[in-house]
Amino acid sequence: MTGGWYAALVALQFVLAAATLVALRWIVAPYGRHARGGWGPTIPARVGWIVMEAPASVLFIVFFLLGDHRGQPVPIVLLALWQLHYVNRAFVTPLLTRSSARMPVLVAALAITFNTLNAWINARWVSQLGDYPLHWLADPRFVVGVVVMLAGLAINVHSDAVLRALRREHDGYAVPRRGAFRWISSPNYAGEIVEWCGWALLTWSPAGLAFAVYTIANLAPRAIANHRWYRETFPDYPPERRALIPGLL
Ligand SMILES: NC(=O)c1ccc[n+]([C@@H]2O[C@H](COP(=O)([O-])OP(=O)(O)OC[C@H]3O[C@@H](n4cnc5c(N)ncnc54)[C@H](OP(=O)(O)O)[C@@H]3O)[C@@H](O)[C@H]2O)c1
């Protein structure tokens, strides 16, 4: 694939981010608490999450191995950071979930398409098009980016664990009160956004930036929809709690 094609795919991801942001103003993705009929056949959400997120892990490895820099230390560190997130998302979290929800096949199919594109542009950059000499590990962009990414990962994983514990204590949905839920309704999304901003910084790449922008476009509207749902569903929902950014949004 030529550099022109690669640039076009990265540009496509920015276009997808804009289209997603616009679409989510009117449509809330029909899974989880926002699940509803009319979106075609469904599958168990647990299966859906594995099938749709596995390509982000597995295909990233495949695409990474196609690159000339696959044996270099820094690209291998970047591969490990990516897998730290996606092994948890694709294989650990779905197996731990206590939800018996279903999701439309359409949602899983769209996510597979996105994850394939995203894995390609990011893995291709890391192991072929980018240039990461050993001293990149001491570059402030890498150091700060790693701290940001790992902080986001910790918030994301902890918040998802809080929700799982809540499911053990209650049948169905309840108001989460632990961890970062004290300040915002969707700290798992906030953590995810912080994570990919960290990735954009530590890779200093157009692909990383495209993924961070897409994540914001995808998760910020859903966080707002979740917040509205909490307020409508639970009359005693803490009034000071915000949707996504403590004290602000
Ligand atoms: N990078 C991206 O663009 C992207 C996109 C989507 C998701 N994600 C990530 O994927 C993960 C899961 O996303 P999600 O949209 O499914 O998150 P979510 O709506 O917060 O749900 C996460 C899990 O917790 C359960 N749950 C949620 N709120 C609950 C409550 N108040 N009481 C009891 N159980 C509750 C859900 O059950 P139900 O399934 O029954 O609702 C689900 O099993 C998150 O970490 C998110 O950041 C990333």
Coordinates of all heavy atoms in Angstrom, one line a residue, residues 12-46:
L12 N -10.0 9.1 6.2 CA -11.3 8.5 6.3 C -11.7 8.3 7.8 O -12.8 8.5 8.1 CB -11.2 7.1 5.6 CG -12.5 6.2 5.8 CD1 -13.7 6.8 5.2 CD2 -12.3 4.8 5.2
Q13 N -10.7 8.0 8.6 CA -11.1 7.9 10.0 C -11.5 9.2 10.6 O -12.4 9.3 11.5 CB -9.9 7.3 10.8 CG -10.3 7.0 12.3 CD -9.7 5.7 12.8 OE1 -9.8 4.7 12.1 NE2 -9.1 5.8 13.9
F14 N -10.9 10.3 10.2 CA -11.3 11.6 10.7 C -12.8 11.9 10.2 O -13.6 12.4 10.9 CB -10.4 12.7 10.2 CG -9.1 12.8 11.0 CD1 -7.9 12.4 10.5 CD2 -9.2 13.3 12.3 CE1 -6.7 12.5 11.3 CE2 -8.0 13.4 13.1 CZ -6.8 13.0 12.6
V15 N -13.0 11.5 8.9 CA -14.4 11.7 8.4 C -15.4 10.9 9.1 O -16.5 11.4 9.5 CB -14.4 11.3 6.8 CG1 -15.8 11.3 6.3 CG2 -13.5 12.3 6.1
L16 N -15.0 9.6 9.5 CA -15.9 8.8 10.3 C -16.2 9.4 11.6 O -17.3 9.3 12.1 CB -15.3 7.4 10.4 CG -15.3 6.5 9.2 CD1 -14.6 5.1 9.6 CD2 -16.7 6.2 8.8
A17 N -15.2 10.0 12.2 CA -15.4 10.6 13.5 C -16.4 11.8 13.4 O -17.3 11.8 14.2 CB -14.0 11.2 14.0
A18 N -16.3 12.6 12.3 CA -17.3 13.7 12.1 C -18.6 13.1 11.9 O -19.6 13.6 12.5 CB -16.8 14.6 11.0
A19 N -18.7 12.1 11.0 CA -20.0 11.5 10.7 C -20.7 10.8 12.0 O -21.9 11.0 12.2 CB -19.9 10.4 9.6
T20 N -19.8 10.2 12.8 CA -20.3 9.6 14.0 C -20.9 10.6 15.0 O -22.0 10.5 15.5 CB -19.2 8.8 14.7 OG1 -18.7 7.8 13.8 CG2 -19.6 8.2 16.0
L21 N -20.1 11.7 15.1 CA -20.6 12.8 16.0 C -21.9 13.3 15.6 O -22.8 13.6 16.4 CB -19.5 13.9 16.0 CG -19.7 15.0 17.1 CD1 -19.6 14.4 18.5 CD2 -18.7 16.1 16.9
V22 N -22.1 13.5 14.3 CA -23.4 14.1 13.7 C -24.5 13.0 13.9 O -25.5 13.4 14.5 CB -23.2 14.4 12.2 CG1 -24.6 14.8 11.6 CG2 -22.2 15.6 12.1
A23 N -24.2 11.8 13.6 CA -25.2 10.7 13.7 C -25.7 10.5 15.1 O -26.9 10.4 15.4 CB -24.7 9.4 13.1
L24 N -24.7 10.6 16.1 CA -25.1 10.4 17.5 C -25.8 11.5 18.1 O -26.3 11.4 19.2 CB -23.8 10.0 18.3 CG -23.2 8.7 17.9 CD1 -22.0 8.4 18.8 CD2 -24.1 7.5 17.9
R25 N -26.0 12.6 17.4 CA -26.9 13.7 17.9 C -28.3 13.2 17.8 O -29.1 13.7 18.6 CB -26.7 15.0 17.0 CG -25.5 15.8 17.5 CD -25.5 17.1 16.6 NE -26.6 18.0 16.9 CZ -26.6 18.9 17.9 NH1 -25.6 19.0 18.7 NH2 -27.7 19.6 18.1
W26 N -28.6 12.3 16.9 CA -30.0 11.9 16.7 C -30.2 10.4 17.2 O -31.3 10.1 17.6 CB -30.5 12.1 15.3 CG -30.7 13.5 14.9 CD1 -31.7 14.3 15.3 CD2 -29.8 14.3 14.2 NE1 -31.5 15.6 14.8 CE2 -30.3 15.6 14.1 CE3 -28.5 14.2 13.6 CZ2 -29.7 16.7 13.5 CZ3 -27.9 15.2 13.0 CH2 -28.5 16.5 12.9
I27 N -29.2 9.6 17.0 CA -29.4 8.2 17.3 C -28.4 7.8 18.5 O -27.2 8.1 18.4 CB -29.0 7.4 16.1 CG1 -29.7 7.8 14.8 CG2 -29.2 5.9 16.3 CD1 -29.1 7.3 13.5
V28 N -29.0 7.1 19.5 CA -28.1 6.5 20.5 C -27.9 5.1 20.1 O -28.8 4.4 19.8 CB -28.8 6.6 21.9 CG1 -27.9 6.0 23.0 CG2 -29.2 8.0 22.2
A29 N -26.6 4.7 20.1 CA -26.3 3.3 19.6 C -27.1 2.3 20.4 O -27.1 2.3 21.7 CB -24.8 3.0 19.7
P30 N -27.9 1.4 19.7 CA -28.9 0.6 20.4 C -28.3 -0.7 21.1 O -28.7 -1.8 20.7 CB -29.8 0.2 19.3 CG -28.9 0.1 18.1 CD -27.9 1.2 18.3
Y31 N -27.5 -0.5 22.1 CA -27.0 -1.6 22.9 C -27.0 -1.2 24.4 O -27.1 0.0 24.7 CB -25.6 -2.1 22.4 CG -24.5 -1.2 22.8 CD1 -23.8 -1.4 24.0 CD2 -24.1 -0.2 22.0 CE1 -22.7 -0.6 24.3 CE2 -23.0 0.6 22.3 CZ -22.3 0.4 23.5 OH -21.3 1.2 23.9
G32 N -26.8 -2.2 25.3 CA -26.7 -1.9 26.7 C -28.0 -1.2 27.2 O -29.1 -1.6 26.8
R33 N -27.9 -0.2 28.0 CA -29.1 0.4 28.6 C -30.0 1.1 27.5 O -31.1 1.4 27.7 CB -28.7 1.4 29.6 CG -28.3 2.7 29.1 CD -27.6 3.5 30.2 NE -26.2 3.0 30.3 CZ -25.5 3.1 31.5 NH1 -26.1 3.7 32.5 NH2 -24.3 2.7 31.5
H34 N -29.4 1.4 26.3 CA -30.1 2.0 25.2 C -30.6 1.0 24.2 O -31.0 1.4 23.1 CB -29.3 3.1 24.6 CG -28.7 4.1 25.5 ND1 -29.5 5.0 26.1 CD2 -27.5 4.3 26.0 CE1 -28.8 5.8 27.0 NE2 -27.5 5.3 26.9
A35 N -30.6 -0.3 24.5 CA -31.0 -1.3 23.6 C -32.5 -1.1 23.3 O -33.3 -0.8 24.2 CB -30.8 -2.7 24.1
R36 N -33.0 -1.4 22.1 CA -34.4 -1.3 21.7 C -34.6 -2.1 20.4 O -33.6 -2.4 19.7 CB -34.8 0.1 21.5 CG -34.0 0.9 20.6 CD -34.0 2.4 20.9 NE -33.3 3.2 19.9 CZ -32.0 3.5 20.0 NH1 -31.3 3.0 21.0 NH2 -31.4 4.2 19.0
G37 N -35.8 -2.4 20.1 CA -36.1 -3.2 18.9 C -35.9 -2.4 17.6 O -35.7 -1.2 17.7
G38 N -36.0 -3.1 16.5 CA -36.0 -2.4 15.2 C -34.6 -2.3 14.6 O -34.4 -1.6 13.6
W39 N -33.6 -3.0 15.2 CA -32.3 -2.9 14.6 C -31.8 -4.3 14.1 O -30.6 -4.5 14.0 CB -31.3 -2.3 15.7 CG -31.6 -0.9 15.9 CD1 -32.4 -0.4 16.8 CD2 -31.0 0.2 15.2 NE1 -32.5 1.0 16.8 CE2 -31.6 1.4 15.8 CE3 -30.1 0.4 14.2 CZ2 -31.3 2.7 15.4 CZ3 -29.8 1.7 13.8 CH2 -30.4 2.8 14.4
G40 N -32.7 -5.1 13.7 CA -32.4 -6.4 13.1 C -32.0 -7.5 14.1 O -32.2 -7.3 15.3
P41 N -31.5 -8.6 13.6 CA -31.2 -9.7 14.5 C -30.1 -9.3 15.6 O -29.3 -8.5 15.4 CB -30.6 -10.8 13.6 CG -30.3 -10.1 12.3 CD -31.1 -8.9 12.3
T42 N -30.3 -10.0 16.8 CA -29.4 -9.7 17.9 C -28.6 -11.0 18.3 O -28.9 -12.1 18.0 CB -30.2 -9.2 19.1 OG1 -31.1 -10.3 19.5 CG2 -30.9 -8.0 18.8
I43 N -27.5 -10.7 19.0 CA -26.6 -11.8 19.6 C -26.4 -11.5 21.0 O -26.5 -10.3 21.4 CB -25.3 -12.0 18.8 CG1 -24.6 -10.6 18.7 CG2 -25.5 -12.7 17.5 CD1 -23.2 -10.7 18.1
P44 N -26.0 -12.5 21.9 CA -25.6 -12.1 23.2 C -24.5 -11.1 23.2 O -23.5 -11.2 22.5 CB -25.1 -13.4 23.8 CG -25.8 -14.5 23.0 CD -25.9 -13.9 21.6
A45 N -24.7 -10.1 24.1 CA -23.7 -9.0 24.1 C -22.3 -9.5 24.4 O -21.3 -9.0 23.8 CB -24.1 -7.9 25.2
R46 N -22.2 -10.5 25.3 CA -20.9 -11.1 25.6 C -20.2 -11.5 24.3 O -19.0 -11.2 24.1 CB -21.1 -12.2 26.5 CG -19.8 -12.9 27.0 CD -20.1 -14.3 27.6 NE -21.1 -14.2 28.7 CZ -20.8 -14.1 30.0 NH1 -19.5 -13.9 30.3 NH2 -21.7 -14.1 30.9

